[in-house]
Amino acid sequence: MRRIREILGTVVSLLYPLPSRLMEKLLQWEEDTVEPTLGPFHSVISISSDTTPIHVFHKSFPDFLTDKQRIGDSWFHIDLKEHHTRLALLCLTHMNTSLRRDMCDVGNGLVSELDVETILQTKVEGHVLYACRYWAAHLKEAVWTDELGAALKYFCEHRILYWLEILCLDRKLGSAILALDSARQWTLDDSSSTTLANGYRYLLYYRNTISLGPSHIYKSTLPFIPRQNLSSSPWEKELHRSPRVIMTDSHDTWDRILFTLTGHSDKVFDVAYSPDGGLLATGSQDKKVIIWDSRTGAQIHSLEGHSDGVLVVDFSPNGSLIASGSYDRSVRIWNSASGILIHTLNGHTGGVRVVSFSPLGNIFASGSLDNTVILWDPRNGSLLRTLDGASSKLWSIRFSPDGIQTVAQSSETDLIIWDTETGAVKSRLPYPSPIDSIAFSPDGTLLAFTTVRGVIIWDYKSRTISRTLHNIASCVTFSRDGRFIATGGGNGEIVTWDITSDSQIGRFNGHTNLVTSLAVSPDGSRIISSSYDGTAAVWDMKSGWESPGESDDKVHKGAVHCVAFSSDGRQWASGGEGGTVAVWDTEGHGLIHTLKVHEVAVMTVAFSVDGRYIASGSDDAQIVVWDVEVGEPVRILEAVRWPERLWFSADGLFLVIEYGSRGSAISIQWSAQNFQECEPRSLTKEQAEQMLRGTPACGVPPSETYLVRARRSQWIEKRCQGSTVERLCHLPHYYITRSASFGRYFVFGTTHGVYCLEFPPGYFDISSTSMYMSGPMFD
C-alpha cells in the first residue's frame, strides 16, 4: 500500500507528466515497477508504454485523492505537501549527484548556433532535466526538513551554476529567476538564503549575457559580480579559468539597476506598467511595441504593425489592452495577453505623441503633433469627439483621477483643461516657460510638470504653485500611492523625491542619454525608465539612494569616458565625469594618483611614448599635461574646441589632436618635448596613421594578432589578420564608453566606473597592444 500511495502521490504531484521509465529513475525505483503498481488504476490513469507520459484521464480523480473530507483517513489519501517535500528532495538529490561543469560538452558554443534540443536529449537524462525545471516549484509547496535544507545548501554551494548551464540551453532563464527567488523565500538557512539572493540578482542583471551560451556564466558574468557579493558566495572558486576584475572603482555591492530591456534597436520613447505590475510595455523608434515580463525581463510579445516610430504606449485600467501611438499618425489597440491587434484608429494628420486611458477605461485620448486631441471608445474603436483649443503640438495628456476633466500640455507654455463629456475648454493655465511633461497625483489634488526652471507642483484645485523641485527634468511621474515623485533628466539621471518634504530619496544613474519616460510599479518597489540610448531599465527603489560615503569612495563621480595604457603597459589612466584623471598600477592592482584640474568631464587621455607624461582633454577645450611620477600638472593648453581624442606621435615629437569624430579634423599644435606651440598643421587620416603607427594607444595594431571590441556587439575579440575572429569574452555592462588593452590586461570605462580585466595565461598570446574600443584608429 505504501508503494501505491507513493506512485499515486507522484502522479498527482508532478508538474509535468513523465513516462514510467523516467518516473522510476526520479523515484529511484527499480526498472519495470511503476506500470505493475499502477495496473489496478487503468480506468482512471493512462498507461500505454514506458516511453509515453502517464496522466490521469480526468481532474476529478486527483481532486478526490487530495480531499481529506471526501476520502477520510483512507490509505489512498494524498497529502500534497508530503509528496512535494519528497519530490523536492529527489530533484535536489539528482541535481547534486548528476550536474557538473559543461556536462553538455558545448564549450564556448552559442545557443543560437547549437541544436540545443538534441544536446539536451542526448546529454541530460530526462529525470534530471525534469529536476532542473521543477525543483523550485516542488520546494515552494514543501515542508522544511533538515534533510531537505541540507540538500538545498549543497546545491547552492556546489551545483547552482551548473544548473544555470542547463537552463541556459533549455532557454528557461526566466523560470530560473523565479525559481531562485521562490527558494530564497522558502529556506530557513541563512547561508542558502544569501546565495540564493545573490543568484537572483546575478541572473536578473546578467540574463541577457548568460543566454548567449553556458560558457558566458564563467567568462563574461562571474568576473563582474560585485566584490562584496562574490566574496560572500561559493562561486569564486569557479573563476580559476576565467578573466578576473583586478581593479575597479565601481560599486562593491549590487547595482541599483535590476535589469535592462535590450530588445529594441533604436531609441526607446515610452514605457508603461500594467495595473497589476506583471507586464511592461515599451515603444521605440524601431516601430515596435514590446511586452515584457516585469519579474524576469523576458520578452513576451513583439508587436509589429506601425510603419514609423512608436512614441507612446499605455495600458487600460484593467490591463487587458495596450494603446500605442506612432509617427505614422495612427493609434493601435492591442490585446496585452495575446499580442493580437484589435483596432487601428486613424484620425490624426500628424504623429501621435501621447495616448491615455481614462480611469474607468471607457475612453482614451490621443494627442498629436497636428495640435488636436481625439477621444475614442476603446471597445469598438469609434471616434467620440475631437477636442479643439490647442494652438501648438501636444506633448502630454492626462485624465483627472475622476475622469471628468482631460488635461493636455502643448509645446508652448500652457496647460489646457477640457470637460471630458462635452469637449468644452474649461480653463487654460499659462506658464512663463515651455512645459515638457505632466502627471497627476493619484488623488487628483496635485499636478506636476517639468520646465526649464525645475519641476513645478501645482495645487490643482486652487491653480497655484504649491512648490518647486529644483531639478531640470524631461519627464515626471507619481508613485501609485502618491508618496513620491520620480523625474528623469537629459543627462540620463533619475531622481526620486519625497512629496511631503521635497527631499531627494534616491538617485539612479545608468542611462547615457535623455530619459524619455518613467513608470512606477504598483507596489512602489521598482521604477522603469526609457531612454534615447536605446534601452529601458528596471530599477530597485529599495537600493536607490547613493549615500555620500559611497560616492566619496569612488575615484570617478560618474561615467568614465576614456582609458589608455602606457607604452610598457605598467600603468593605465582613466578620465570621466567630475574632471578627474586617475592613474593606476597594472601589476600592483592599485591607484597611484588622482589628478584634478579639469572642472568638467575628461573625454580623452593619452600617455607620452616614454611614459613620463599624460595629456588629458576635457569638454571645456582645456588640455592638461601631467607629470606621471609626481602627479602634478606641467602645462595647461587651450585648444580651439574640446578634443575628441589625443595621441603622442610615435617619435615623441608632437601632441596630435582629433577634434571631430572618425578623424574628421586632425591637427598638430604643440610640441611634445616642451609643450610649446609649434606651427599648426592639419593631417589627413593617412598622415595621422603613419605618424602614430606603432604607438600602443593609437589603435593601429603593431602585430598580426591584436584585440578589438566593437561598439555594438560588446565582444572582446582575438582578431588575426586574414583569419576568423575568436570571441573571448562578452562584456555584460550595457553602457560601455571606451576601452584599451595591453598584453593580458583589458580596461574599459562605463557609466558606473572603470574596470581592469586580467585574462589567465594561455587565454591568448599577445605581446603589447592598446587601443580604443572601436579597434581601427578612425572607424
Side-chain angles (χ1 to χ4, degrees):
M1 292 298 292
R2 181 190 62 80
R3 178 156 285 201
I4 291 176
R5 286 184 67 251
E6 188 172 342
I7 192 59
L8 286 176
T10 300
V11 171
V12 168
S13 303
L14 283 178
L15 299 169
Y16 185 83
L18 295 176
S20 60
R21 177 176 53 83
L22 293 183
M23 200 177 294
E24 286 160 356
K25 291 186 176 183
L26 180 66
L27 297 175
Q28 299 177 332
W29 283 14
E30 301 85 0
E31 291 184 7
D32 301 324
T33 53
V34 165
E35 286 190 29
T37 304
L38 289 175
F41 300 94
H42 274 281
S43 60
V44 288
I45 297 177
S46 171
I47 311 167
S48 56
S49 72
D50 64 354
T51 59
T52 303
I54 297 172
H55 62 273
V56 296
F57 286 123
H58 195 274
K59 188 176 180 295
S60 60
F61 181 59
D63 287 346
F64 172 72
L65 292 178
T66 56
D67 189 339
K68 191 172 180 62
Q69 289 185 341
R70 294 172 62 188
I71 202 171
D73 294 326
S74 167
W75 267 95
F76 290 108
H77 173 247
I78 303 301
D79 183 339
L80 285 177
K81 283 198 171 292
E82 173 190 334
H83 290 280
H84 280 300
T85 302
R86 178 172 53 87
L87 287 171
L89 179 60
L90 287 166
C91 286
L92 287 167
T93 300
H94 286 301
M95 291 191 295
N96 288 342
T97 56
S98 301
L99 298 184
R100 57 180 174 80
R101 182 162 172 171
D102 195 22
M103 69 178 292
C104 293
D105 298 322
V106 298
N108 293 323
L110 300 178
V111 170
S112 60
E113 300 171 356
L114 297 171
D115 182 358
V116 292
E117 287 77 13
T118 301
I119 290 172
L120 289 174
Q121 287 176 8
T122 56
K123 298 292 184 178
V124 185
E125 292 190 82
H127 67 290
V128 177
L129 188 58
Y130 177 90
C132 289
R133 289 172 174 171
Y134 299 113
W135 67 270
H138 287 299
L139 190 72
K140 183 179 179 180
E141 303 300 326
V143 176
W144 171 273
T145 67
D146 291 342
E147 185 181 15
L148 185 55
L152 178 62
K153 185 173 183 178
Y154 186 91
F155 171 78
C156 291
E157 294 179 351
H158 301 284
R159 295 292 181 266
I160 193 169
L161 296 181
Y162 310 154
W163 167 69
L164 287 180
E165 290 186 40
I166 304 301
L167 271 290
C168 169
L169 293 172
D170 202 23
R171 295 188 175 97
K172 295 187 181 299
L173 289 176
S175 299
I177 292 171
L178 300 178
L180 292 173
D181 191 41
S182 174
R184 177 192 62 80
Q185 297 178 50
W186 178 89
T187 185
L188 302 178
D189 179 75
D190 290 341
S191 64
S192 296
S193 178
T194 299
T195 302
L196 290 164
N198 275 333
Y200 172 73
R201 287 300 306 267
Y202 162 72
L203 195 51
L204 269 180
Y205 195 77
Y206 293 120
R207 176 179 180 271
N208 291 330
T209 301
I210 294 172
S211 66
L212 296 172
S215 65
H216 291 284
I217 293 171
Y218 309 101
K219 65 183 183 180
S220 299
T221 61
L222 279 189
F224 301 103
I225 291 180
R227 289 169 294 190
Q228 183 174 318
N229 299 94
L230 182 62
S231 62
S232 64
S233 79
W235 306 336
E236 194 167 15
K237 61 180 181 293
E238 298 290 346
L239 285 172
H240 63 283
R241 289 176 284 173
S242 304
R244 297 182 70 92
V245 174
I246 58 173
M247 280 176 282
T248 181
D249 76 335
S250 188
H251 300 292
D252 286 340
T253 57
W254 288 113
D255 207 311
R256 294 160 187 80
I257 188 169
L258 289 172
F259 53 88
T260 303
L261 308 175
T262 55
H264 290 293
S265 59
D266 210 328
K267 298 175 182 176
V268 181
F269 289 123
D270 199 22
V271 293
Y273 261 106
S274 63
D276 65 0
L279 299 176
L280 299 170
T282 54
S284 167
Q285 179 62 42
D286 66 8
K287 309 174 189 177
K288 296 178 183 177
V289 175
I290 298 182
I291 302 175
W292 314 81
D293 185 320
S294 68
R295 302 167 300 170
T296 66
Q299 187 177 133
I300 299 174
H301 297 298
S302 180
L303 312 181
E304 300 185 32
H306 284 293
S307 60
D308 209 334
V310 178
L311 294 168
V312 60
V313 291
D314 192 29
F315 280 93
S316 62
N318 65 5
S320 64
L321 302 176
I322 293 176
S324 59
S326 168
Y327 273 131
D328 66 9
R329 306 175 186 178
S330 74
V331 176
R332 290 175 182 255
I333 306 295
W334 315 80
N335 182 294
S336 63
S338 65
I340 294 174
L341 178 66
I342 299 174
H343 301 298
T344 299
L345 310 177
N346 297 295
H348 290 291
T349 59
V352 178
R353 179 67 181 80
V354 286
V355 296
S356 180
F357 280 92
S358 66
L360 295 178
N362 59 328
I363 300 173
F364 81 92
S366 60
S368 169
L369 302 179
D370 65 6
N371 307 351
T372 64
V373 174
I374 297 179
L375 300 184
W376 310 82
D377 186 330
R379 294 164 293 189
N380 54 29
S382 62
L383 191 154
L384 298 176
R385 64 190 63 86
T386 299
L387 306 182
D388 299 316
S391 58
S392 61
K393 300 173 183 177
L394 294 160
W395 292 98
S396 189
I397 294 177
R398 294 290 184 270
F399 285 93
S400 59
D402 58 12
I404 296 174
Q405 297 177 344
T406 306
V407 181
Q409 159 258 319
S410 73
S411 60
E412 292 185 344
T413 58
D414 56 1
L415 296 172
I416 306 167
I417 301 175
W418 288 274
D419 183 292
T420 303
E421 184 65 29
T422 65
V425 175
K426 296 195 66 174
S427 60
R428 190 184 295 267
L429 309 178
Y431 192 76
S433 61
I435 299 169
D436 292 321
S437 174
I438 62 175
F440 267 108
S441 63
D443 62 5
T445 60
L446 300 176
L447 180 68
F449 54 91
T450 60
T451 75
V452 294
R453 300 185 179 190
V455 179
I456 310 301
I457 311 295
W458 279 62
D459 184 297
Y460 188 64
K461 292 182 178 179
S462 66
R463 306 291 197 267
T464 59
I465 295 178
S466 172
R467 65 197 74 121
T468 300
L469 306 178
H470 298 288
N471 174 249
I472 307 303
S474 53
C475 53
V476 61
T477 189
F478 280 87
S479 62
R480 299 287 179 94
D481 60 8
R483 296 175 59 186
F484 70 87
I485 285 177
T487 61
N491 62 353
E493 183 178 59
I494 299 164
V495 181
T496 53
W497 307 78
D498 185 293
I499 195 62
T500 56
S501 64
D502 299 343
S503 59
Q504 286 190 17
I505 301 172
R507 299 196 307 272
F508 305 80
N509 290 284
H511 286 299
T512 58
N513 209 326
L514 180 139
V515 178
T516 55
S517 179
L518 294 168
V520 180
S521 63
D523 63 2
S525 65
R526 296 182 177 187
I527 294 174
I528 182 174
S529 58
S530 60
S531 170
Y532 277 172
D533 65 16
T535 66
V538 177
W539 309 82
D540 181 10
M541 267 293 295
K542 297 176 183 177
S543 61
W545 179 248
E546 181 177 293
S547 68
E550 179 183 12
S551 179
D552 290 345
D553 290 340
K554 288 175 60 63
V555 175
H556 298 291
K557 309 305 180 186
V560 175
H561 297 297
C562 51
V563 289
F565 275 101
S566 62
S567 57
D568 60 7
R570 293 181 178 179
Q571 298 174 340
W572 56 279
S574 57
E577 293 294 328
T580 299
V581 176
V583 184
W584 308 79
D585 182 343
T586 307
E587 296 179 352
H589 304 174
L591 181 67
I592 301 173
H593 297 301
T594 301
L595 313 178
K596 188 71 170 72
V597 166
H598 296 288
E599 296 297 329
V600 295
V602 176
M603 305 304 294
T604 178
V605 291
F607 277 90
S608 63
V609 176
D610 59 10
R612 293 178 57 195
Y613 302 105
I614 292 175
S616 58
S618 62
D619 269 346
D620 59 3
Q622 192 178 72
I623 298 173
V624 179
V625 181
W626 307 85
D627 184 305
V628 174
E629 184 176 355
V630 299
E632 296 293 336
V634 176
R635 288 293 305 275
I636 298 178
L637 313 174
E638 298 297 331
V640 294
R641 60 183 187 273
W642 71 271
E644 175 79 15
R645 289 189 281 187
L646 297 171
W647 298 276
F648 286 86
S649 61
D651 57 15
L653 297 179
F654 299 104
L655 183 62
V656 182
I657 306 171
E658 178 189 354
Y659 284 112
S661 62
R662 303 175 184 269
S664 58
I666 311 167
S667 65
I668 293 174
Q669 293 177 249
W670 290 281
S671 163
Q673 295 181 310
N674 55 17
F675 302 105
Q676 299 296 321
E677 288 192 25
C678 61
E679 182 179 351
R681 57 191 171 105
S682 299
L683 303 175
T684 64
K685 294 181 184 179
E686 292 74 18
Q687 289 173 330
E689 289 197 8
Q690 185 62 36
M691 178 173 285
L692 298 170
R693 186 169 296 280
T695 60
C698 72
V700 181
S703 63
E704 291 188 355
T705 303
Y706 60 99
L707 293 179
V708 63
R709 182 183 70 77
R711 180 186 297 270
R712 288 288 183 186
S713 68
Q714 299 190 245
W715 287 95
I716 302 177
E717 298 173 335
K718 179 179 179 180
R719 187 179 292 251
C720 301
Q721 293 181 2
S723 66
T724 57
V725 172
E726 179 186 351
R727 288 175 165 177
L728 302 174
C729 175
H730 186 270
L731 300 179
H733 296 267
Y734 301 109
Y735 311 109
I736 295 170
T737 52
R738 294 284 189 183
S739 66
S741 60
F742 189 99
R744 294 192 291 114
Y745 300 100
F746 192 91
V747 299
F748 60 95
T750 75
T751 52
H752 303 288
V754 66
Y755 294 80
C756 180
L757 272 178
E758 180 184 24
F759 286 85
Y763 223 85
F764 51 86
D765 182 19
I766 190 168
S767 54
S768 63
T769 268
S770 181
M771 63 190 64
Y772 283 94
M773 71 176 183
S774 52
M777 177 177 165
F778 307 112
D779 54 344

